[in-house]
Amino acid sequence: MGYNLPVKAWADKLLRALGEEVVKTEPEALESRSADESGLGPFLPEAVVLARNSEDVSVALRIAHEERVPVYPRGAGTGLTGGALAVLGGICLDTSRMNRILEIDPENLIAVVEPGVITAELQKEAEAENLFYPPDPASLENCSLGGNIAENAGGPRALKYGLTAHYVLGLELVLPGGEAVWLGRRTKKGVTGYEMALAVVGSEGTLGVITKAILRLIPKPRAVVTAMAFFPEEQDACRAVSRMIGEGILPRVMELVDREGVSVIRRSVGFALPEGTMLLLETDGTEEGAWTDMERAAEFAEGHGASQVVVAQDEKRARELWSARRSLAEALPGSADDDVCVPRSAIPEAVSRIREETGGLGSEVVIFGHAGDGNLHFKIKQDDPERLRLTREAIYRIALQLGGSLTGEHGVGLLKKDYISWELPSLSLQLQKKLKSAFDPAGIMNPGKFL
Ligand SMILES: Cc1cc2nc3c(=O)[nH]c(=O)nc-3n(C[C@H](O)[C@H](O)[C@H](O)COP(=O)(O)OP(=O)(O)OC[C@H]3O[C@@H](n4cnc5c(N)ncnc54)[C@H](O)[C@@H]3O)c2cc1C
């Protein structure tokens, strides 16, 4: 498709329909949405639609469709692969104002939300009702539920509780052209037709704009125990991950942080911690159950190379530790982010091959992440862009050779769009393209990204 209409003509049309409170074209509005946390860009949109509700989104998508203007949905802009970036200009469809929790229904265990709700806000509201919304991306204080759904976000607790996909029962999607459609349902079960809401989960803004979501909640666990196991040998920590799970021990969290990452955490928490590779473990359930599970996990770690297991004695320490873990990525400035996923039993080989190959390219790589799920994260220090590209490619190749995936949770976006065929068979890609054109025949949704 061509996107040739003069900006002024379509922007005027948007302005007339939605007004200045919603349509922004001043430089500050465009610049503040020209980047996300990927470090890619900047890419300036030509107009921002700061939608107040589904109706605003419908109007914007109707005009965009008529005028063939690219639309880039944006939540909170915390994406690490450039998914929200307006690579061809056009409209940044910002959902941050649509931030109401519309309903929490404790009897049916659901929440109905707008897409701009910050993830931690829903968690706080749910917990106030003794309920629990488990998906916990490390960016949870800043990212939005719309962005989480569009990226199928994970987080540490995905090990026991699953990804965002496991909590989406239904959603309202505004299609290019402006029509709104409800996909999915309010009930836990319901198998009438294809599981259409899940086609939208992980679609990275390429099918339409999510304007409401019905999310599943669960009862809040009564107790949580947090502990850290420190391993002098990195490979022992890596092996412990799959072996512990193979023994039938399933903590809700099993995070790996390498020696360099641990030294960053040691500097930021207000209490002493040993050195080494760390497995951050968390169990939950009843008071007795959580402690029994942690004792088993700790015993296992000590029997498999951990020199010390430190239990966070109170909630304050656990909170401090989590805050240090969550800000780990930001505490390593000047380095590039990446993530892949491997079968958890392949973590030892993945880590040793990645260290060897990336070291050979002169890159310094901090390895951490949601090891219980095989989801490894990287902070790559490499100033030369060509070597950075080779470093990323080495990591992707190793992950795929070990039966893994190009990305466990950060998505494809702009960063990995050229590599998607490394993982997906061409027939699968063709089917995905057909699915996209069923939703978005004119190709105005997030063009320039993976489809
Ligand atoms: C420090 C840090 C830690 C992180 N940790 C994790 C982690 O543990 N797990 C994890 O999964 N991710 C993590 N991320 C990545 C990021 O926070 C997630 O991908 C998050 O889901 C993005 O949400 P957002 O609201 O910022 O979306 P944005 O960055 O604004 O957008 C992301 C994508 O979603 C699309 N989108 C946004 N809203 C909508 C909508 N309403 N309708 C349709 N499409 C939409 C956009 O077009 C884009 O493709 C981390 C990021 C940072 C900076």
Side-chain angles (χ1 to χ4, degrees):
M1 65 170 282
Y3 304 103
N4 295 328
L5 203 77
V7 174
K8 187 147 175 19
W10 60 256
D12 280 351
K13 212 167 162 182
L14 275 178
L15 257 173
R16 275 198 305 279
L18 291 167
E20 284 178 2
E21 197 207 328
V22 173
V23 180
K24 311 280 178 193
T25 50
E26 55 277 19
E28 311 81 70
L30 308 179
E31 275 157 24
S32 61
R33 291 163 181 89
S34 64
D36 61 5
E37 295 294 329
S38 64
L40 301 169
F43 296 97
L44 276 184
E46 289 154 301
V48 174
V49 169
L50 203 43
R52 295 163 299 193
N53 47 42
S54 305
E55 290 71 33
D56 284 351
V57 176
S58 284
V59 171
L61 262 62
R62 176 176 53 74
I63 294 172
H65 189 253
E66 283 164 8
E67 306 292 354
R68 299 293 191 262
V69 181
V71 177
Y72 295 93
R74 183 179 178 95
T78 68
L80 290 170
T81 52
L85 299 182
V87 289
L88 298 179
I91 299 168
C92 168
L93 197 304
D94 185 317
T95 58
S96 59
R97 233 186 217 173
M98 297 170 66
N99 60 0
R100 287 175 308 157
I101 297 174
L102 301 172
E103 189 185 338
I104 289 193
D105 176 349
E107 291 189 20
N108 290 302
L109 293 174
I110 56 172
V112 183
V113 298
E114 291 186 321
V117 172
I118 297 298
T119 310
E121 289 301 316
L122 175 63
Q123 288 172 341
K124 277 178 213 140
E125 292 287 317
E127 286 176 34
E129 306 252 5
N130 253 327
L131 299 170
F132 190 42
Y133 178 69
D136 61 339
S139 50
L140 57 87
E141 296 287 348
N142 303 309
C143 63
S144 74
L145 291 167
N148 294 170
I149 296 170
E151 295 282 1
N152 193 9
R157 298 195 293 236
L159 173 59
K160 179 170 174 184
Y161 290 107
L163 305 164
T164 301
H166 300 112
Y167 295 86
V168 176
L169 293 172
L171 50 84
E172 182 187 64
L173 188 75
V174 175
L175 297 166
E179 267 181 297
V181 58
W182 271 100
L183 305 172
R185 58 195 63 82
R186 270 181 82 97
T187 50
K188 183 168 180 192
K189 291 181 172 179
V191 292
T192 314
Y194 292 142
E195 197 54 273
M196 292 294 278
L198 288 190
V200 177
V201 177
S203 63
E204 300 192 15
T206 60
L207 301 181
V209 178
I210 301 154
T211 44
K212 289 190 190 80
I214 303 172
L215 302 174
R216 191 163 74 87
L217 303 173
I218 60 175
K220 186 178 158 195
R222 273 182 270 166
V224 178
V225 181
T226 308
M228 296 143 280
F230 292 88
F231 294 77
E233 297 299 329
E234 181 171 78
Q235 281 291 306
D236 285 340
C238 293
R239 277 190 288 269
V241 173
S242 63
R243 292 193 180 162
M244 192 184 293
I245 291 173
E247 283 292 306
I249 304 168
L250 184 69
R252 77 173 188 177
V253 163
M254 201 190 289
E255 296 279 293
L256 177 85
V257 183
D258 76 2
R259 185 174 284 272
E260 178 61 27
V262 167
S263 69
V264 173
I265 292 181
R266 289 174 83 228
R267 286 196 291 275
S268 55
V269 293
F271 47 91
L273 285 178
E275 291 180 346
T277 303
M278 175 172 85
L279 283 186
L280 172 56
L281 302 165
E282 204 163 77
T283 54
D284 69 0
T286 59
E287 187 77 27
E288 195 193 335
W291 278 103
T292 308
D293 287 350
M294 185 54 84
E295 275 159 24
R296 284 186 71 206
E299 214 171 278
F300 185 92
E302 280 165 348
H304 290 77
S307 55
Q308 222 177 321
V309 178
V310 183
V311 176
Q313 288 133 346
D314 52 41
E315 223 176 281
K316 183 174 168 288
R317 283 202 168 187
R319 264 205 310 274
E320 210 179 319
L321 184 66
W322 272 112
S323 148
R325 158 62 189 93
R326 289 194 178 115
S327 43
L328 184 57
E330 287 144 348
L332 292 160
S335 44
D337 290 277
D338 220 318
D339 92 307
V340 294
C341 197
V342 296
R344 64 174 76 88
S345 58
I347 291 176
E349 185 178 346
V351 167
S352 85
R353 285 178 60 187
I354 287 168
R355 291 241 181 266
E356 196 184 322
E357 288 200 29
T358 60
L361 289 161
S363 302
E364 284 170 37
V365 180
V366 174
I367 302 180
F368 61 108
H370 318 311
D373 286 324
N375 187 190
L376 299 175
H377 290 203
F378 309 95
K379 287 298 276 186
I380 307 167
K381 198 146 184 45
Q382 172 56 264
D383 296 332
D384 177 58
E386 180 56 12
R387 280 175 176 255
L388 176 59
R389 181 179 68 77
L390 293 172
T391 301
R392 290 189 192 276
E393 289 182 357
I395 293 172
Y396 304 159
R397 208 172 291 112
I398 291 166
L400 293 174
Q401 283 166 359
L402 292 172
S405 175
L406 285 174
T407 169
E409 58 183 25
H410 293 168
V412 175
L414 195 54
L415 184 68
K416 298 191 184 177
K417 76 183 187 102
D418 294 337
Y419 301 101
I420 191 164
S421 62
W422 286 20
E423 178 172 342
L424 297 183
S426 69
L427 193 51
S428 164
L429 252 178
Q430 278 173 39
L431 284 170
Q432 295 195 33
K433 284 183 177 154
K434 283 184 187 163
L435 181 75
K436 169 154 170 84
S437 65
F439 280 78
D440 177 24
I444 62 163
M445 291 307 306
N446 214 345
K449 303 294 168 53
F450 79 93
L451 285 176

